[in-house]
Amino acid sequence: MPRADVRGARENESMTTDATTLPRALRPFSSGQYRLLVAALAASLLSAGAWLVASVWQVVELGGSPIDLSYVAVGSSLGLVLAVLIGGVAADRIPQRRILIVVEIVRGLAFAAAAVLAATGVIEVWHIALLSFVLGLADGFFYPAYSAWLPAILPAGQLLAANGIEGVLRPAVMQAAGPALASLLIAVQAPWLAFAAVAVLQVVAAIVLAVMRTTPVRRDLDEVKVHPVRQSFIDLRDGFAYLLRTRWLFATLVFSIILVFLIMGPIEVLLPFAVKDQTGGGAGAFALALGAFGLGGAVGSLTVASLRLPRRYLTLMILAWGVGCVPLAIIGLTSWLWVMVIALFIVGVLFDGAQVVWGTLLQRRVPPSMLGRVSSLDFFVSLALMPISMAVAGPVGEAIGLAPAFLIAGLVPPFLAFATLALARLKDDELAHPLDGHADVDAVTGAEAAAGFEAPADERHPVAERHPVAERHPVAEPHPLAERHPPAEPSRRVDPEPG
């Protein structure tokens, strides 16, 4: 193992020992690198949340309609869908820290451009749609890089807690603090001030990432070197092949793509008009509604992060997403803002709690050298219909009304969830591959797996067979008391340096 990897593994060992004194949900904070990553993530999420409200209200101030808002939403989701596959390949080839720094710089420039256009009074709806498209492209590189980098910073036992922390930050900062900041700045001056503020936040995020260390890119040790362009297509092919042959992954993403089509249009496009037309609220009321969704997400994420992974993790995750949509049916029927707030809070609890499980599931069961591509495919497949959902939400809302649109978004997903569980037989898969408390005898986790030198955790695939190091590290069946002694993970062993 290279000297840098030995040093990283030793740091992980000491980090895990110190982490045992912290509550389960806070153990990732024992790593200084993770603390820096969280600080950068928080600044980035705060700017994204403020942009959400500021851009929407800029469209409203320009006299825009739901169809105009659909154009803006389509720009963001279309950029994400177009870039996320390339972003996944890049995340498995380029140090993820460098990708994230470039992303934050691009986002900062986009926000600064919006501030200048709005402050000079020349901004139009198509400007906002174009900038949203650029931000979507940046997000397409951000998500795979972040997902692939996290297991290289933390040991496997802390990934659930780390995903829970992200699950708390995303709703609390992006969906609560960000909209609140934007509404305050809009009330003080105008949307241009909010745009300028989020541009500054992006500078902060880029500086924090620049302070962090670069980790090695995790690749198969014996892969054949070919031209980079050809290798990119090979990487995409391998990623799609893995998706199609992995039943739990394929079934969940099919469920997700239909779910996103049903609910994202109403939430992103119709919710501002439901708040405005049914309750008479303005930017503050819309921010409050988003804040309730964010607070619920924080509660759900923190709760899941404080617990062990559930034994029936696939079943509970799918049901939480499906049943969690039911409160959306109420939004189109009420004229009381507090009812909308409670409904969105419940949706946030169930959605983000399940998302913590999903993020951990990918990081635990997907080969480390393929995690960037699989994360990008996750976003691509599950969000492929998002632009269509955004595009049709405005016209459908005007044609059938807000109430029927939200009824469809709330009542169809539960039936979709039960059908997915029954047809894909996910119960058999989750019982065959436990992730916590009843460790699979084939599981390989720890610093070497995170660095890409061990076989993937919890599941054997043809990809894993190309990792010769795994053959040299047989894993014994864990003792029942192993959960009480986290440092005793078999994969903490570090090979001596060659030569």
Side-chain angles (χ1 to χ4, degrees), residues 226-247:
V226 298
H227 191 277
V229 175
R230 182 183 177 190
Q231 185 63 54
S232 297
F233 286 102
I234 293 175
D235 287 347
L236 285 177
R237 180 202 63 191
D238 290 346
F240 274 107
Y242 179 84
L243 184 155
L244 293 175
R245 69 171 177 260
T246 308
R247 187 177 64 189

Side-chain angles (χ1 to χ4, degrees), residues 146-167:
Y146 177 85
S147 299
W149 198 20
L150 192 60
I153 295 177
L154 295 174
Q158 295 181 11
L159 290 177
L160 181 66
N163 287 309
I165 292 167
E166 181 195 353

